[in-house]
Amino acid sequence: MTDPSKRCVNCKDELQLFRRLEPKELKYVATWAKKGEANNYRRCANGTCRRVQHHFRYWDGRTLPETFA
């Protein structure tokens, strides 16, 4: 399931679809996200981007390591 278009910092601020995190991605995000916030993060679904960002705050996110490619 993907969310409506959101700005993606890694994709030159273009609108992209974002999907919910897979279990291994969620586990990684939980290591740095604020307590109870990991489920609010989504991953850019353009196919090559590894950007993970908060559902409501596009500036709040990171790029996943290459192992998540």
Side-chain angles (χ1 to χ4, degrees), residues 25-64:
E25 296 165 340
L26 185 59
K27 186 176 180 180
Y28 176 77
V29 170
T31 65
W32 53 263
K34 291 180 184 175
K35 186 175 181 178
E37 287 283 312
N39 284 320
N40 291 327
Y41 284 80
R42 306 290 187 263
R43 181 173 176 177
C44 181
N46 83 353
T48 59
C49 184
R50 298 186 325 266
R51 173 77 178 171
V52 174
Q53 65 190 37
H54 195 278
H55 181 65
F56 300 110
R57 300 183 302 265
Y58 73 90
W59 60 88
D60 179 8
R62 296 184 184 184
T63 300
L64 292 172

Side-chain angles (χ1 to χ4, degrees), residues 2-7 16-18 55:
T2 56
D3 287 326
S5 296
K6 304 257 185 236
R7 290 172 63 177
Q16 299 290 340
L17 293 176
F18 280 76
H55 181 65

Side-chain angles (χ1 to χ4, degrees), residues 1-19:
M1 180 175 182
T2 56
D3 287 326
S5 296
K6 304 257 185 236
R7 290 172 63 177
C8 180
V9 176
N10 290 12
C11 295
K12 301 177 184 174
D13 267 346
E14 294 180 5
L15 295 178
Q16 299 290 340
L17 293 176
F18 280 76
R19 63 166 176 77

